[in-house]
Amino acid sequence: MKSLLIVISIHHNNTGKIAETIAKVLDAQIKKPSQINPEEITEFDLIGFGSGIYDYTTHKALSNLADKLPNVNNKKAFIFSTGGLSNKRKAQKDHSKLREKLESKGYKIVNEFQCKGFNTNSFLKYFGGMNKGRPNDEDHKNAKEFAEKLMQNE
Ligand SMILES: Cc1cc2nc3c(=O)[nH]c(=O)nc-3n(C[C@H](O)[C@H](O)[C@H](O)COP(=O)(O)O)c2cc1C
């Protein structure tokens, strides 16, 4: 299975660190949205879209890229993110815009992952930020298990 991760991680590279853990399991390349030629995506069997959460959603570079992707027929994809806060319901909401775009292009979103990431946005910087040390070992362990499940469901 040939896998690709497309990742934008602009705040503290929190999502970038999670991407590295997932990439190791999947033996995947990691690229930024700006490095993607939309046509090359057809070479891959599984594509992961990763981003920090900024103002309740994934980075617009991912949805802009999704707009440019060619239509596919049930190609497998997954979404992962780090956020200041995180739970399953919130992740579903944070990912909804990107998920809908990808589904409209024919992608099948096989699973989604989110964990907390260090956050010094806005006033938080005056208090040393929130979620210091996140993603932590437990987050990486969960990300690894998430990736292993993706492999099993191949
Ligand atoms: C401008 C900005 C807006 C943010 N908005 C949200 C938000 O709406 N919800 C949330 O859970 N976290 C929010 N955060 C926190 C980030 O999602 C969190 O720190 C994440 O781990 C950043 O990922 P990155 O280091 O990969 O960019 C925001 C951070 C920034 C800088």
Side-chain angles (χ1 to χ4, degrees):
M1 187 171 64
K2 206 173 162 197
S3 307
L4 172 70
L5 303 187
I6 306 172
V7 181
I8 181 140
S9 178
I10 57 171
H11 191 36
H12 289 291
N13 195 35
N14 298 325
T15 317
K17 291 171 198 153
I18 290 294
E20 280 168 29
T21 295
I22 294 175
K24 236 182 240 166
V25 177
L26 298 179
D27 191 22
Q29 295 179 42
I30 303 177
K31 286 192 175 184
K32 293 183 181 141
S34 59
Q35 298 173 312
I36 299 289
N37 163 6
E39 299 299 328
E40 81 181 287
I41 277 219
T42 48
E43 291 168 32
F44 295 91
D45 308 302
L46 176 68
I47 302 163
F49 294 86
S51 170
I53 299 302
Y54 316 105
D55 299 330
Y56 311 103
T57 189
T58 51
H59 196 281
K60 64 176 181 305
L62 284 185
S63 16
N64 288 348
L65 175 68
D67 282 334
K68 292 187 203 135
L69 294 179
N71 286 320
V72 289
N73 187 9
N74 264 337
K75 190 184 279 292
K76 286 185 189 174
F78 63 94
I79 300 173
F80 63 101
S81 65
T82 63
L85 299 170
S86 173
N87 62 56
K88 214 167 184 160
R89 226 166 116 195
K90 176 179 175 293
Q92 290 283 322
K93 249 187 164 169
D94 291 339
H95 297 171
S96 60
K97 192 174 159 201
L98 180 61
R99 186 191 319 110
E100 280 160 25
K101 284 214 179 199
L102 291 170
E103 283 175 345
S104 76
K105 291 287 173 136
Y107 285 88
K108 181 174 186 234
I109 307 300
V110 290
N111 210 347
E112 300 182 35
F113 176 88
Q114 187 179 67
C115 69
K116 286 185 181 174
F118 183 44
N119 183 10
T120 54
N121 186 34
S122 184
F123 66 89
L124 291 168
K125 61 178 165 288
Y126 304 114
F127 304 97
M130 70 190 282
N131 307 330
K132 209 165 191 316
R134 304 291 292 266
N136 58 18
D137 289 351
E138 182 74 19
D139 297 321
H140 283 287
K141 181 172 161 276
N142 291 337
K144 184 168 175 271
E145 283 171 11
F146 169 82
E148 285 165 353
K149 271 194 207 139
L150 291 171
M151 294 282 275
Q152 285 158 17
N153 296 339
E154 196 186 330

